[in-house]
Amino acid sequence: MTAELRAALIARLTALADDELLLSHRLAEWTGHAPILEEDIALANIAQDELGHATSWLELRRVLDGSDPDRLAFHRPPAEFRNCALTELPKGDWAFTMLRQYLYDAWEAIYQDAARNSSYAPLAQAAALALREERFHLQHTALWVERLSMGTPESERRMKAALTQLWPYALGLFEPLEGEEMAIMAGVLPDPAALKRRWLELVTAGLTRFGMAPPDARPVPRGTRTEHLAPLLAEFQQVARQHPEAVW
Amino acid sequence: MLSFPVPGEAAVWEALSGVLDPEIPVVGIVEMGMVRGVSLRGDGVTVRFTPTFSGCPALHVIRESIRSALKPLGFGSVEVETVISPPWTTDDITAPARAKLERYGVAPPSPTREHPLFMTLEADPVRCPRCHSFDTRMTASFGSALCKRMYVCNACKEPFEGMKSV
């Protein structure tokens, strides 16, 4: 494998893992606070799956550069995170949480569906595994988006507000990473621009069916940082940093 | 130096069949289809193990259990190699294991099939493990472990868990 290809793979694996890590933390913030017990359990399950996927991507990265997944997750400063701003935003209300998860699950499912065909076999295999789990997430979050969009005037108002706020951030998921063109041409990584068309088609059809219209918006560019990342990581990394010698 | 005879493959499989799934401790990892193969080389053994769900916390426990089940056989080294391709599927669960799951109160998974990316609600009928009625409904799409969902039986009114079909 050429150095350029390896660097592109490492960058994409890191970006994928970082989104999963942050989102799993945001979901876990609902543990003990969800509106009903079943949803508390569901979000904890989804968070656990996303954390599992983050582990897969960081394991693939370890094979490429010898990095330690635990150190990357728990000891990396905010400036070195490669997530999209979408996943660092605070959990918000129930509508915000469910809509973000729905938009993200759709992106992840479509990305992994394409990554199953990667010419880099370890990525193709890990993608096939992650995809099966994403389907359960999508099924769950799509139902909630429907319920809230078509529920009461209050739930509809909250869902519309969440859509206006989230849409530009969700579009940011499809911003290409610097230097990955070669890996896309080589069939190692999926092309985010091609995936965007498929995602827009699926998500817009879903939202339209529930009486929602995505706003006209420009994507939040990749690399945009909000003031929410540092406090999130301070909490997420707290135990590991205070007890660096601890073992599970 | 004394040398011990290295146990054969049959002994390894027998020891492995005693390793239980920590999440559902009535079924073994072999009958659940999580062991893809074993290979003996010199005085060492390698077990090819396939994870069920990528975030399943039981995986660490299972890897440890494999090591402690095989160590007493006298191997110099016990390696657990992770194999993710082809991915584990609930179709790999043997018929006796399915019967054990049902007796334990967990509805066994339906046969898998290709789903579109955006699937609708599960249409497969799930049988109540207690009264065997198919008049059941899903009450929560996630349960106490990544592999399970929650149901209730309309006939006997009992809640029960069912395994996801993957």
Side-chain angles (χ1 to χ4, degrees), chain B residues 23-83:
Chain B
E23 297 271 19
I24 313 170
V26 291
V27 285
I29 59 167
V30 173
E31 56 189 348
M32 289 294 281
M34 296 183 215
V35 180
R36 286 280 164 80
V38 298
S39 49
L40 305 165
R41 196 169 342 120
D43 70 344
V45 60
T46 301
V47 176
R48 284 184 296 124
F49 169 73
T50 187
T52 50
F53 283 77
S54 45
C56 179
L59 298 176
H60 303 279
V61 181
I62 296 174
R63 287 194 186 93
E64 268 320 300
S65 309
I66 291 176
R67 287 190 194 97
S68 34
L70 297 185
K71 271 282 174 199
L73 297 185
F75 287 108
S77 69
V78 178
E79 296 287 332
V80 182
E81 186 192 322
T82 302
V83 185

Side-chain angles (χ1 to χ4, degrees), chain B residues 1-6 43 74:
Chain B
M1 200 173 101
L2 258 173
S3 71
F4 293 94
V6 174
D43 70 344

